[in-house]
Amino acid sequence: MARILITSAIPYINGIKHLGNLVGSQLPADLYARYKRARGDEVLFLCATDEHGTPAELAAAKAGKPVEAYCAEMWEVQDKLGRGFRLSFDHFGRSSSAQNHKLTQHFAGRLAEAGLIEEVVEKQVYSVADGRFLPDRYIEGTCPNCGYDKARGDQCENCTKQLDPTDLIEPRSAISGSTELEVRETKHLYLRQSAMRDQLRDWINSKTDWPILTTSIAKKWLDDGDGLQDRGITRDLDWGIPVKKGEDDWPGMEGKVFYVWFDAPIEYIACAAEWVEAGKGADWERWWRTDKGAEDVRYVQFMGKDNVPFHTLSFPATILGSGEPWKLVDYIKSFNYLNYDGGQFSTSQGRGVFMDQALEILPSDYWRWWLLSHAPETSDAEFTWDGFQQDVNKDLADVLGNFVSRITKFCRSKFGEVVPEGGSYGPQETALIGDLETRLRRYEAHMDAVDIRKAAAELRAIWVAGNEYLQSAAPWTVFKEDTERAAAITRFALNLVPFYAGLSAPFIPDAAAAMAEAMGVELAWPESAEAALSALPGGHAFIVPEVMFAKIADEAREDWATRFAGTRG
Ligand SMILES: [Zn+2]
């Protein structure tokens, strides 16, 4: 049994995420966690909300609430939506937790002892109109790298370059739009990432199995231009983790907090400590400290491409720089973007489908299947309502749902709600078992490699094979001349239902559970196609399940296309 630690990039607290966010981290991470658990591995799957920084402060102010109360409330909302999408986190934590405060301060202290923190008196942008220092992401301007005119002071979301606000051309306050900005002096701490460049390069070069998307972004920021830059890890803000050197005060840094990018990835570790405190686990260091049992853990991270620089360079710099035996990531699965109907999903414009809205209109399995089978792995992908309707109706309703419904109803009408006895499998069944055995191993290989689209395509082919078998074996015709043969065909096809349930559960857990329940079996990963397809003996009782997947009608599709075109109500 392998031990697999899985983390999804942690969603920011200030609102409900759209489906593009979901498919870029949490959903594929859940697929992988469910698959690994089904294969019998020991899995710890963690996610949390990312709660610090100015956007949370501003969103709370806008909602008229203290920021702590606002974050607590939004955590509840995100937790509930995660459960709605059946995201099977072992723990859904919070970066504002006491555990993360302690660990973040601990790492800062270790980095300082190692000489990797520099105190810098720097000039920071002060907005006279707003009466405050402006955090990087609240300064907007033109990106010096690509010319995008809405680049933020911390990063250009168009070209992903990490920026400092003073790099921006024609900067303005994102709060008030004021260009009356002054540069004033303030002291900050910098993580000396540049001093760790060779160590980081060696480590990244050793990861020969990483997706190209991940390594290409990492290498770009490691070596392009002047190479990896030192990065500020503190801010002039109220809301965040107070700057401390371990448990000691940090002279000159009173009233300042750690920058959210520094404390957010440390929450991956703190979340495991929260998991233990919540009574769900016994020993979190066993997952995170290679001197305390984590040397055999395989750690896999999931994230959108905009998060890759932080996870390949900055967070590893924190871990390596601490000089302590913390677990480093073994595999980073990163994603391109999912676009929405000819443009981008937009949180600010309310364009696209958001997690709460999605669950209001359809069960989560519909979304899970479509999003995962169209995961933006090698390039950006696009959601269109036509495509969604067509794919979901075909794959889920016409192929899988129809197969289950057809064979269970046929059996009920001819043999009753029990698996029929009599007859034996012939060449047609033997051939399909051979085909499904090959496909099963291929499906497992794609899932092990986290090749999500390929895995979905193989699963779809496995469903199609059953439908084609049923169509060609045609027990309803055979029944008229040879009831024994019809019984064998029916028994074989009924055995495909739990086989499908086990294989489909990582993608569509609710439907899979309903299929297993209707067949009176526990969900299980098949050892082999041959064993699985004679698992249900003659005489085993089942019930005909409810309609598993209602088709999406044209009218509903048109309605939704209009409703989600923009400006969320
Ligand atoms: Zn840019």
Side-chain angles (χ1 to χ4, degrees):
M1 182 167 79
R3 297 174 63 217
I4 320 277
L5 173 64
I6 301 169
T7 59
S8 156
I10 65 176
Y12 200 70
I13 192 71
N14 69 340
I16 290 166
K17 305 301 140 188
H18 56 63
L19 297 183
N21 300 133
L22 182 65
V23 75
S25 54
Q26 290 177 318
L27 193 53
D30 180 70
L31 178 82
Y32 188 63
R34 286 176 176 275
Y35 168 69
K36 284 296 182 186
R37 288 190 198 109
R39 297 302 307 275
D41 292 333
E42 187 185 358
V43 170
L44 183 64
F45 177 26
L46 302 173
C47 191
T49 40
D50 176 7
E51 303 193 1
H52 294 132
T54 312
E57 279 188 321
L58 294 178
K62 201 174 161 197
K65 288 175 183 159
V67 65
E68 291 89 343
Y70 171 82
C71 288
E73 215 170 275
M74 286 310 297
W75 178 88
E76 296 276 352
V77 170
Q78 295 206 17
D79 179 55
K80 183 165 171 255
L81 289 170
R83 283 185 276 116
F85 274 94
R86 307 296 182 248
L87 302 176
S88 60
F89 308 128
D90 289 294
H91 190 71
F92 187 58
R94 301 180 58 182
S95 71
S96 61
S97 67
Q99 289 87 347
N100 197 34
H101 277 235
K102 196 174 157 201
L103 267 169
T104 299
Q105 290 162 345
H106 169 80
F107 274 108
R110 291 291 307 187
L111 290 164
E113 277 170 41
L116 290 166
I117 300 279
E118 193 178 357
E119 298 188 14
V120 177
V121 174
E122 68 173 13
K123 296 183 156 93
Q124 200 185 324
V125 177
Y126 186 87
S127 168
V128 178
D130 300 307
R132 60 181 292 173
F133 281 108
L134 291 180
D136 295 354
R137 58 189 292 157
Y138 276 82
I139 306 164
E140 282 181 355
T142 301
C143 173
N145 190 47
C146 74
Y148 179 62
D149 69 351
K150 288 193 189 64
R152 294 190 323 216
D154 59 341
Q155 187 174 33
C156 173
E157 64 176 11
N158 188 52
C159 71
T160 77
K161 186 173 175 63
Q162 293 185 26
L163 297 170
D164 277 317
T166 46
D167 297 336
L168 292 171
I169 300 159
E170 293 174 7
R172 61 190 178 272
S173 162
I175 302 169
S176 60
S178 169
T179 55
E180 196 187 341
L181 305 178
E182 285 179 4
V183 175
R184 296 188 180 179
E185 282 196 343
T186 180
K187 188 161 112 176
H188 281 297
L189 304 182
Y190 271 69
L191 175 60
R192 295 179 57 223
Q193 296 186 141
S194 59
M196 302 190 63
R197 191 172 160 198
D198 291 340
Q199 200 180 350
L200 288 166
R201 182 187 292 108
D202 289 347
W203 175 67
I204 290 165
N205 284 340
S206 74
K207 302 298 177 187
T208 50
D209 64 332
W210 282 9
I212 291 165
L213 181 64
T214 304
T215 42
S216 64
I217 294 172
K219 286 180 178 169
K220 191 165 178 232
W221 301 124
L222 200 55
D223 289 323
D224 266 13
D226 298 329
L228 187 60
Q229 301 295 300
D230 296 342
R231 253 182 105 65
I233 62 166
T234 53
R235 297 282 93 181
D236 288 293
L237 283 185
D238 295 329
W239 173 237
I241 297 175
V243 175
K244 288 185 123 188
K245 199 180 277 182
E247 293 178 0
D248 303 329
D249 289 338
W250 203 310
M253 297 305 293
E254 297 81 7
K256 295 173 196 275
V257 299
F258 287 107
Y259 195 178
V260 61
W261 78 255
F262 183 69
D263 79 67
I266 296 171
E267 169 59 15
Y268 291 142
I269 306 174
C271 189
E274 292 170 51
W275 166 73
V276 170
E277 190 178 274
K280 300 170 183 171
D283 182 0
W284 65 269
E285 288 184 317
R286 184 176 162 260
W287 289 95
W288 274 109
R289 292 279 301 218
T290 56
D291 58 336
K292 294 180 181 173
E295 63 287 313
D296 65 339
V297 168
R298 177 169 168 82
Y299 177 23
V300 182
Q301 293 177 339
F302 290 79
M303 70 199 63
K305 62 184 169 190
D306 51 330
N307 274 319
V308 170
F310 292 102
H311 289 76
T312 52
L313 303 168
S314 302
F315 185 42
T318 300
I319 290 203
L320 290 167
S322 77
E324 294 176 326
W326 297 99
K327 178 79 195 152
L328 275 166
V329 67
D330 293 299
Y331 190 80
I332 296 181
K333 176 75 181 184
S334 56
F335 293 87
N336 289 286
Y337 295 136
L338 178 70
N339 293 317
Y340 179 81
D341 225 356
Q344 291 182 334
F345 276 90
S346 167
T347 302
S348 56
Q349 293 162 36
R351 188 168 189 281
V353 187
F354 290 72
M355 284 172 73
D356 55 339
Q357 301 168 325
L359 292 178
E360 280 165 26
I361 61 174
L362 285 169
S364 62
D365 280 348
Y366 285 67
W367 300 109
R368 289 180 63 103
W369 172 251
W370 191 91
L371 290 167
L372 289 168
S373 60
H374 293 78
E377 290 178 299
T378 52
S379 61
D380 289 353
E382 188 173 24
F383 177 94
T384 65
W385 284 103
D386 280 348
F388 176 69
Q389 178 196 29
Q390 209 176 309
D391 293 340
V392 161
N393 283 356
K394 181 162 158 277
D395 296 342
L396 297 183
D398 291 343
V399 177
L400 180 62
N402 179 56
F403 172 81
V404 174
S405 162
R406 206 167 174 195
I407 190 58
T408 51
K409 283 180 178 163
F410 171 74
C411 185
R412 181 175 62 186
S413 72
K414 301 297 183 204
F415 302 100
E417 280 178 305
V418 287
V419 176
E421 316 209 24
S424 51
Y425 295 168
Q428 211 173 353
E429 288 75 31
T430 307
L432 183 54
I433 286 171
D435 179 41
L436 289 176
E437 188 64 33
T438 308
R439 291 189 179 283
L440 169 62
R441 299 309 163 207
R442 211 146 55 196
Y443 178 54
E444 290 172 346
H446 292 320
M447 291 291 260
D448 284 327
V450 211
D451 269 335
I452 298 173
R453 279 187 180 228
K454 286 182 188 167
E458 198 58 59
L459 180 60
R460 186 192 290 114
I462 288 170
W463 296 340
V464 167
N467 245 4
E468 285 174 355
Y469 164 78
L470 195 58
Q471 196 56 35
S472 111
W476 38 86
T477 309
V478 174
F479 186 79
K480 291 164 199 158
E481 302 113 41
D482 186 350
T483 44
E484 289 278 294
R485 174 67 191 144
I489 295 167
T490 304
R491 188 165 66 250
F492 185 81
L494 286 171
N495 268 285
L496 279 167
V497 179
F499 179 70
Y500 286 170
L503 296 183
S504 307
F507 280 92
I508 46 171
D510 286 353
M515 285 159 69
E517 199 192 337
M519 299 312 294
V521 298
E522 295 285 325
L523 269 179
W525 196 264
E527 287 291 319
S528 71
E530 185 168 19
L533 293 172
S534 44
L536 296 184
H540 178 93
F542 68 92
I543 53 167
V544 173
E546 302 283 315
V547 173
M548 290 203 308
F549 299 103
K551 280 200 187 189
I552 297 170
D554 292 347
E555 201 175 65
R557 183 205 66 211
E558 283 160 20
D559 204 42
W560 296 335
T562 312
R563 178 172 159 197
F564 298 110
T567 319
R568 181 183 171 134

